Amino acid sequence: MMARRYLESVGLMEDRLNILLRQQSVLAALAQAEGEDRKLRQAQSQALGEGIQSAWQKLHRQRRLVTHSIERLPREEERQLLFLRYLSRLSYPDIAEVLGYSQRQVFRIHHRALMHMEALAAGMEGE
């Protein structure tokens, strides 16, 4: 489903950003060490910092787009579930607990919400 991949894009971007931040931390530590590679590590760290800034901007934009898409859903329970799943990145058991539903019901609502998102996207393409 395209809706699921679209929603998952936020989590993938967050994961990528976290990897870049860890890489920058390692490079910054290496740049502090004396040696012939110090200037190279400092330059790499600076370039990585620029990549991180770009990744932050893309992530922020994608979160706004996904939030807007979720907010267009007609049912509150679907909106809540998708926010919890894709923006807060909670597990299905945690979502069931937060919303007070069985896990089976959470799966049903999730499936219905994805179908509604697909329909909304198809409607927008037809306009």
Side-chain angles (χ1 to χ4, degrees):
M1 282 187 151
M2 294 200 44
R4 182 187 303 254
R5 279 185 284 190
Y6 174 68
L7 294 167
E8 289 173 343
S9 67
V10 171
L12 294 173
M13 292 174 109
E14 286 176 353
D15 291 344
R16 177 67 181 138
L17 182 59
N18 286 328
I19 289 169
L20 292 173
L21 290 168
R22 284 193 303 270
Q23 287 176 342
Q24 185 183 41
S25 177
V26 169
L27 280 174
L30 290 173
Q32 296 300 316
E34 294 296 324
E36 57 191 54
D37 291 344
R38 185 173 186 206
K39 288 194 187 293
L40 174 63
R41 298 289 182 222
Q42 288 173 336
Q44 289 173 330
S45 181
Q46 183 176 352
L48 194 54
E50 294 167 6
I52 289 169
Q53 181 64 30
S54 174
W56 270 112
Q57 291 170 350
K58 289 176 184 175
L59 173 60
H60 182 69
R61 181 177 183 273
Q62 191 67 12
R63 283 186 70 87
R64 280 195 329 258
L65 291 171
V66 168
T67 297
H68 177 72
S69 296
I70 291 172
E71 288 173 345
R72 294 181 62 231
L73 291 172
R75 296 183 181 187
E76 178 64 23
E77 65 183 0
E78 292 176 3
R79 291 191 300 268
Q80 287 178 332
L81 190 147
L82 294 183
F83 274 116
L84 292 171
R85 180 69 182 154
Y86 296 103
L87 297 174
S88 297
R89 300 181 79 182
L90 293 182
S91 67
Y92 290 110
D94 290 341
I95 293 169
E97 186 176 330
V98 168
L99 296 179
Y101 296 129
S102 70
Q103 199 168 336
R104 185 177 188 97
Q105 186 64 19
V106 167
F107 286 125
R108 285 187 192 125
I109 295 167
H110 181 256
H111 179 73
R112 189 174 59 229
L114 292 179
M115 298 301 285
H116 284 145
M117 285 202 67
E118 293 280 349
L120 286 172
M124 286 183 68
E125 289 175 4
E127 292 177 355

